Amino acid sequence: SLNELSELFKEKGVKFYVSFPPIPNNVDVIGDAMELYELLVAKGIKTIGKPADFSFPCSSFYDGIPHLIFSAAEKRTLIFNNLIKKEL
């Protein structure tokens, strides 16, 4: 499980984080992803951002989730980079 993996990494001195894939900017999808986020936080597993940080308009996906068009992928990379810098 993620919790066991997180504990193993802690024992070995490895930092372990979970990040979220791009998701549609949809209340239901973000709500489901937030439930996962809250579960991870409750188990002490660190995340890079929250699901809403990686939400994009449906027009940003080209053939389904999680495939972003180029401009949205660049934006996601910048968002991720800025969030991970805060953890380093």
Side-chain angles (χ1 to χ4, degrees):
S1 75
L2 279 178
N3 202 32
E4 292 168 343
L5 189 59
S6 178
E7 288 301 317
L8 175 65
F9 286 160
K10 270 187 206 173
E11 290 170 12
K12 303 281 184 188
V14 175
K15 291 185 179 182
F16 176 72
Y17 299 91
V18 173
S19 75
F20 298 91
I23 56 174
N25 204 357
N26 173 298
V27 174
D28 294 331
V29 175
I30 293 172
D32 290 344
M34 280 303 296
E35 287 181 28
L36 174 59
Y37 168 79
E38 290 166 2
L39 177 68
L40 292 169
V41 169
K43 292 190 173 282
I45 296 173
K46 291 187 174 190
T47 66
I48 303 297
K50 297 179 181 178
D53 294 325
F54 302 105
S55 67
F56 294 87
C58 289
S59 60
S60 293
F61 296 88
Y62 70 88
D63 71 347
I65 303 167
H67 301 130
L68 292 171
I69 61 174
F70 185 76
S71 60
E74 282 186 317
K75 183 177 178 183
R76 189 214 181 267
T77 299
L78 290 173
I79 292 167
F80 180 81
N81 286 345
N82 288 331
L83 289 169
I84 201 167
K85 282 179 188 176
K86 294 176 184 177
E87 297 295 331
L88 300 177

